[in-house]
């Protein structure tokens, strides 16, 4: 009896005719269930005899209309049976999530009283992505014990754990040397050579299956000497010898070589031994050797003295030179010369105090050190042709510039090299800075710099190991980290910073943010792409492989993304390099897995040039998804009679997070091959690169390692047209007067809507109308973006045709011909 009200009910027994006083009895009670994704779950209970059955969930009765009831008769007793079902949705459970657990129970009635079933709990099932602890690679001696820890991700229901060895299931029931602890650690009691493999911890429940990063276990054998051989016969030199070998056991898998001599000799005497005394020839030899040693020491001392003197003179020269200021000064525009009325000469006012920048490149005026300007011109006169800054010797001047920067504390965050930097002096005419072969540029539009001012502007590509960019959760770096400055200067028009990215952008898969480093060194979100901007200082046009950032404040920028689904993907560039010369039997193939941006490829090409590498296959693109699966690389189909691979496992693996973060730019794996003959030069094989359960690429290598140079052109990137710094009209495709004509005609609202809005539509920029409209001259913003996107190879004819069509729609006579552009 389970109920309080104990009134009896008489039920006729069809068999015996006796009377039975019964309370409802449950034949089926609801059980704990889990909701997977958005699927509803069903709870059921069955009781006999019962006149009514209802569900109560978290203390509240479920509505009668939500019950599904079935009636039947128990064949054994003839008693009536009632079965009731309800459905519970994810939304119902989430309403009380965090307050208490969601539970339901049945209550059955009969004329004798009520009976309650057990409580059934309804939980939302999940399995997080990140393992709380992953196995790590180990190198262990043979017969040593190995423990590989694994703490699976948090989940409901708790995840089951299994282990894979080279993708094959580890079954402790079949191998007495292996067992799994209750904490899910894999234990190898005594390491064997056969245990050398990649081990992966797999966690799974009803929702998902997660894989840890694979841990490479290498079981090595230290070498040990064999017994000494017997002494040899005493020879004519009055010595005899004995030997031993490092073979019991021989070192394997990187184990230590044997320590000590392999050959042992001792003096001996016998009838074959002839004793000799040193003669005059030996004495002369020793005297000659001593004389040579004394001469070498004297030459070394002379060389050290000469080097020290030269170094002291060079340091004095560098310390006395100075060309760049980190601040800005007003300018005075002097009249043009009489013999050349079209020539504009801009002379900076060097008598005014300069503003210096210290620390994290933020404006300060209390620093103890000032970087002074020499007396002279910073800008050459602007003529009709294209002009660049600092015409003397770009290479020497760039090195001199960086040498001086290294002596100033407030430039410590700039890279120590000229290949990743561009700098120049600009005024109200504007200009452009470019870092060649990286896709990175800074466009300073006309009138962005106030009249009467000149700014020393720099553009810098940072190495990722030099700048700490904190990432959280599923965030990943999508672009290079770029600085333009000096920060804090006044711009009256937005400059446009262009740089590449590696994201396959889609609104449903990505949340992309523009980050900027503050003066205190912290990174802040200044713009979320696709959302309403919180400030008018920043805007971003994201295209397939590049982004264009409008900014009225210079500083340090980076594009960071956060995946919203496992379908989110990044582009990886896969590049194969190998030595250009192979004097030994070993031959290394390096497979780089890079973010698909021009700057990273440029850095790897420069690195490989220093290593003496050559490209052995055309680069490929792989789409790497946020699926938590690692990247695997393997080599196949080598002719076994000519080559053999020294790889112990069947594949190599790069962990998912090493690639996904984007903070390790030059990730690569090396396949070490060995020629069986020095005359072998032809290499034929296949290299597979794939993400587990994702995209993959296959390289077919058919290469002569001695003379094949068909991919050498890839090592010389196409140089970008123009110099790193362009000033004034030479930096723009659209002539200045034509630009002003277009702006004055299209900025005012057209009578038939034929104004800057129509031009934006014809240039496929109509998704940015609200941003353009927020600026004093929307047409100028459109033309600036066109300049940033199409320099130096833009088609002016297409732009002229688009502008002319806008003029025709307005019924005006305003046209721009191709000849004018």
């Amino acid at each position: 009896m389970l109920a309080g009200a104990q009134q009896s009910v008489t039920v006729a027994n069809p068999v015996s005719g006796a009377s039975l006083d019964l309370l409802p009895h449950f034949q089926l009670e609801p059980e704990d269930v889990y909701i997977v994704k958005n699927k509803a779950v069903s709870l059921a209970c069955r009781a006999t005899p019962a006149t009514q059955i209802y569900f109560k969930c978290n203390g509240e009765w479920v509505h009668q209309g939500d019950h599904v009831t079935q009636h039947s008769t128990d064949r054994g007793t003839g008693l009536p049976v009632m079965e009731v079902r309800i459905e519970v949705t994810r939304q119902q459970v989430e309403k009380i999530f965090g307050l208490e657990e969601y539970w339901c129970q049945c209550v059955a009635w009969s004329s004798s009283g009520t009976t309650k079933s057990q409580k059934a709990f309804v939980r939302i099932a999940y399995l997080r992505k990140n393992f709380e602890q992953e196995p790590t690679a180990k190198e262990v001696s043979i017969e040593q014990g190995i423990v590989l820890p694994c703490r699976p991700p948090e989940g409901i229901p708790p995840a089951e754990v299994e282990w894979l060895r080279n993708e094959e299931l580890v079954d402790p029931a079949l191998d007495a040397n292996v067992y799994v602890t209750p904490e899910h650690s894999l234990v190898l009691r005594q390491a064997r050579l056969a245990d050398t493999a990649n081990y992966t911890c797999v966690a799974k429940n009803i929702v998902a299956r997660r894989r840890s990063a694979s841990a490479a276990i290498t079981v090595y054998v230290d070498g040990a000497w064999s017994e000494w051989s017997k002494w040899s016969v005493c020879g004519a030199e009055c010595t005899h010898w004995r030997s031993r070998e490092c073979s019991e056991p021989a070192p394997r898998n990187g184990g230590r070589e044997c320590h000590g001599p392999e050959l042992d000799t001792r003096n001996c005497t016998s009838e074959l031994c002839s004793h000799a005394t040193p003669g005059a020839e030996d004495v002369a030899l020793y005297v000659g050797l001593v004389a040579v040693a004394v001469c070498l020491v004297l030459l070394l001392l002379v060389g050290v003295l000469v080097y020290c003197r030269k170094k002291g003179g060079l340091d004095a020269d560098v310390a006395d030179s100075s060309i760049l200021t980190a601040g800005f000064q007003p300018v005075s525009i002097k009249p043009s010369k009489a013999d050349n009325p079209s020539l504009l000469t801009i002379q900076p006012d060097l008598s005014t105090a300069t503003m210096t920048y210290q620390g994290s490149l933020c404006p300060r005026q209390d620093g103890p050190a000032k970087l002074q300007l020499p007396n002279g011109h910073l800008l050459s006169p602007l003529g009709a042709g294209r002009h660049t800054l600092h015409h003397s010797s770009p290479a020497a001047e760039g090195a001199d510039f960086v040498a001086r920067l290294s002596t100033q504390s407030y430039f410590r965050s700039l890279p120590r090299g000229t290949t990743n930097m561009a700098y120049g002096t600009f005024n109200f005419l504007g200009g452009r800075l470019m870092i060649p072969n990286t896709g990175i540029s800074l466009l300073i539009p006309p009138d962005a710099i106030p009249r009467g001012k000149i700014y020393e502007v720099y553009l810098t590509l940072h190495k990722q190991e030099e700048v700490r960019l904190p990432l959280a959760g599923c965030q990943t770096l999508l672009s290079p980290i770029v600085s333009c400055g000096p920060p804090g200067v006044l711009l009256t028009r937005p400059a446009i910073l262009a740089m590449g990215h590696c994201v396959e952008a889609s609104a449903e898969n990505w949340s992309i943010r523009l980050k900027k480093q503050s003066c205190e060194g912290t990174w802040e979100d200044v713009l979320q792409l696709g959302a309403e901007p919180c400030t008018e200082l920043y805007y971003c046009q994201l295209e397939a492989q590049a982004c264009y950032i409008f900014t009225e404040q210079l500083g340090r920028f980076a594009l960071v993304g956060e995946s919203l689904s496992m379908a989110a993907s990044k582009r990886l560039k896969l590049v194969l390099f190998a030595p250009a010369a192979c004097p030994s039997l070993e031959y290394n193939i390096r497979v780089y897995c890079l973010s698909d941006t021009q700057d990273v490829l440029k850095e790897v090409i420069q690195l490989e040039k220093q290593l003496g590498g050559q490209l052995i296959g055309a680069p490929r693109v792989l789409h790497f998804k946020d699926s938590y699966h690692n990247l695997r690389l393997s080599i196949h189909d080598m002719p076994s009679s000519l080559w053999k691979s020294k790889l112990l496992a069947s594949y190599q693996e790069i962990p998912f997070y090493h690639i996904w973060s984007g903070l390790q730019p030059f990730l690569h794996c090396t396949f070490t091959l060995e020629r069986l003959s020095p005359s072998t030069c032809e290499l034929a094989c296949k290299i597979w690169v794939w993400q587990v359960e994702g995209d993959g690429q296959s390289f077919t290598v058919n290469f002569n390692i001695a003379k094949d140079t068909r991919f050498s052109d890839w090592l010389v990137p196409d140089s970008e047209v123009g110099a790193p710094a362009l000033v004034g009209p030479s930096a723009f495709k659209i002539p200045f007067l034509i630009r002003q004509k277009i702006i004055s005609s299209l900025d005012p609202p057209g009578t038939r809507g034929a104004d800057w809005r129509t031009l934006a539509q014809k240039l496929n920029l109509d998704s940015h109308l609200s941003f353009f409209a927020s600026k004093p001259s929307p047409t100028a913003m459109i033309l600036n973006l066109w300049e940033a996107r199409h320099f130096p190879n833009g088609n002016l004819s297409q732009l002229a045709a688009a502008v002319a069509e806008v003029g025709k729609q307005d019924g005006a006579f305003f046209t721009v011909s191709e000849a004018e552009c």
Side-chain angles (χ1 to χ4, degrees), residues 37 60 92 167 229 264 268 290 313 358 367 400 477 479 490 530 584-585 646 669 675 681 691 766 791:
K37 296 183 179 179
E60 296 184 3
Q92 292 174 270
E167 298 306 307
S229 65
D264 184 21
C268 61
V290 171
Q358 298 185 356
D400 190 35
L477 182 63
S479 74
L490 173 64
S584 65
L585 293 179
K646 302 185 78 173
C669 285
R675 294 185 286 175
C681 292
Q691 186 181 16
D766 46 326
F791 189 86

Side-chain angles (χ1 to χ4, degrees), residues 490-792:
L490 173 64
L491 292 179
T492 58
R493 303 281 190 277
I496 301 180
L497 176 63
M499 57 186 179
H501 66 77
C502 60
V503 63
E504 289 294 310
S506 60
E508 63 273 12
N509 295 332
W510 282 101
S511 172
I512 302 175
R513 300 173 186 271
L514 177 66
K515 285 185 175 287
K516 181 175 182 288
Q517 193 172 29
S518 68
C519 296
E520 292 76 19
T522 59
W523 287 87
E524 301 171 347
D525 293 339
V526 295
L527 180 68
Q528 180 176 357
L529 276 64
E532 192 69 26
C534 57
T535 175
E536 295 182 358
L537 295 177
Y538 309 99
Y539 193 77
C540 183
Q541 154 80 355
L542 188 70
E543 299 190 351
Q545 294 185 330
C547 62
Y548 300 91
I549 300 167
F550 292 79
T551 176
E552 297 181 19
Q553 292 184 354
L554 303 183
R556 184 173 295 168
F557 296 93
L559 207 63
V560 172
E562 183 172 2
S563 64
L564 302 179
S565 73
M566 297 177 67
S569 65
K570 296 173 58 176
R571 295 190 312 274
L572 298 184
K573 181 83 76 176
L574 307 178
V575 194
L576 271 62
F577 281 94
C582 184
S584 65
L585 293 179
E586 282 194 353
Y587 190 72
N588 294 323
I589 297 178
R590 293 180 289 276
V591 184
Y592 287 89
C593 306
L594 314 171
S595 296
D596 186 19
T597 56
Q598 294 182 42
D599 61 290
V600 179
L601 182 60
K602 172 188 174 182
E603 291 287 339
V604 169
I605 289 174
Q606 291 175 344
L607 175 64
E608 282 294 331
K609 281 185 177 180
Q610 297 173 4
L611 296 176
Q614 65 173 339
L615 198 67
I616 62 172
R620 304 280 183 84
V621 173
L622 181 141
H623 293 86
F624 190 77
K625 292 186 177 181
D626 182 21
S627 61
Y628 196 70
H629 291 303
N630 299 338
L631 190 71
R632 292 183 179 172
L633 304 93
S634 60
I635 188 166
H636 307 272
D637 300 345
M638 281 188 305
S640 57
S641 59
L642 302 176
W643 296 85
K644 72 174 182 178
S645 172
K646 302 185 78 173
L647 183 66
L648 297 177
S650 59
Y651 60 85
Q652 300 189 67
E653 198 164 49
I654 301 178
F656 169 82
Y657 282 112
H658 290 184
I659 299 175
W660 190 254
S661 69
L663 297 178
Q664 302 186 39
F666 307 141
L667 288 172
H668 69 279
C669 285
T670 300
F671 291 97
T672 301
L673 312 180
E674 184 176 357
R675 294 185 286 175
L676 302 183
S677 169
S679 61
T680 300
C681 292
E682 294 294 333
L683 173 61
C685 63
K686 285 187 178 181
I687 294 178
W688 293 348
V689 184
W690 76 102
Q691 186 181 16
V692 179
E693 300 182 14
D695 191 16
Q697 288 285 4
S698 173
F699 292 85
T700 300
V701 178
N702 196 346
F703 199 76
N704 187 303
I705 65 175
K707 59 183 179 181
D708 203 333
T709 59
R710 61 189 135 144
F711 299 105
S712 59
D713 291 342
W714 284 88
L715 294 179
V716 185
D718 297 333
S719 296
E720 295 178 355
V721 178
L726 300 175
V727 180
S730 61
F732 303 95
K733 292 283 292 181
I734 306 172
F736 183 77
L737 294 179
I738 300 301
R739 170 190 170 91
Q740 295 303 109
K741 183 179 179 182
I742 297 173
I743 291 173
S744 61
S745 301
L746 298 186
D747 270 352
T751 55
R752 303 179 184 177
D755 51 20
W756 62 269
R757 296 175 181 81
T758 307
L759 178 62
Q761 292 173 356
K762 294 187 177 298
L763 297 179
N764 298 320
L765 300 175
D766 46 326
S767 60
H768 311 299
L769 293 180
S770 59
F771 169 71
F772 297 146
S774 67
K775 299 303 176 184
S777 175
T779 309
M781 294 297 103
I782 295 173
L783 297 182
N784 293 344
L785 180 56
W786 187 92
E787 289 277 7
R789 295 170 68 194
H790 296 93
F791 189 86

Side-chain angles (χ1 to χ4, degrees), residues 13 37 65-66 108 270 356 405 408 481 490 513 661 692 796:
N13 188 326
K37 296 183 179 179
D66 295 333
S270 73
T356 60
L405 289 185
Q408 304 296 331
I481 302 175
L490 173 64
R513 300 173 186 271
S661 69
V692 179
L796 276 176

Side-chain angles (χ1 to χ4, degrees), residues 55-252:
F55 272 92
K56 177 185 285 188
C57 295
N58 286 84
E60 296 184 3
W61 294 106
V62 178
H63 192 275
Q64 183 177 359
D66 295 333
H67 292 72
V68 178
T69 305
Q70 291 183 347
H71 296 274
S72 61
T73 302
D74 189 299
R75 294 181 179 179
T77 63
L79 298 175
V81 177
M82 179 180 291
E83 183 173 336
V84 176
R85 292 179 179 271
I86 63 168
E87 284 196 345
V88 180
T89 65
R90 185 187 184 101
Q91 290 76 14
Q92 292 174 270
V93 177
E94 287 179 339
K95 282 183 181 179
I96 64 166
F97 182 76
L99 301 176
E100 59 176 323
E101 287 194 288
Y102 193 94
W103 57 266
C104 295
Q105 69 177 163
C106 282
V107 181
W109 281 267
S110 72
S111 58
S112 296
T114 61
T115 303
K116 294 181 180 179
S117 71
Q118 65 183 10
K119 289 183 179 179
F121 290 90
V122 182
R123 301 180 177 94
I124 297 175
Y126 68 92
L127 184 61
R128 300 197 184 280
K129 286 186 177 182
N130 299 338
F131 278 73
E132 295 183 6
Q133 185 178 12
E134 294 185 288
T136 55
K138 296 178 183 290
E139 294 184 357
V140 298
S141 176
I142 193 167
E143 296 184 354
Q144 180 181 342
I146 303 175
V147 178
L148 292 177
C150 176
R151 292 171 59 192
E154 178 187 346
I156 293 179
E160 299 177 359
V161 173
E162 61 186 19
W163 284 87
L164 302 179
R165 178 196 286 132
N166 286 347
E167 298 306 307
E168 295 184 359
L169 183 65
V170 176
D171 188 356
L174 302 178
D175 188 349
N177 192 47
V178 177
Y179 72 93
V180 178
T181 68
E183 294 78 24
H184 310 300
S185 298
L186 180 67
V187 178
L188 305 180
R189 291 183 171 90
Q190 289 186 323
R192 304 160 296 190
L193 287 175
D195 293 325
T196 297
N198 289 316
Y199 290 82
T200 308
C201 181
V202 179
K204 60 182 179 179
N205 65 6
I206 59 176
V207 179
R209 185 174 185 264
R210 311 288 190 206
R211 296 167 56 96
S212 72
S214 293
I217 299 301
T218 303
V219 181
Y220 62 85
V221 179
D222 291 333
W225 291 112
S226 63
E227 296 291 332
W228 287 102
S229 65
K230 294 182 178 180
W231 288 102
S232 66
V233 177
C234 189
E237 293 80 11
C238 298
T239 59
H240 63 169
W241 56 270
R242 62 177 180 173
S243 65
R244 57 181 178 175
E245 294 181 351
C246 187
S247 59
E248 295 186 3
R252 298 187 63 178

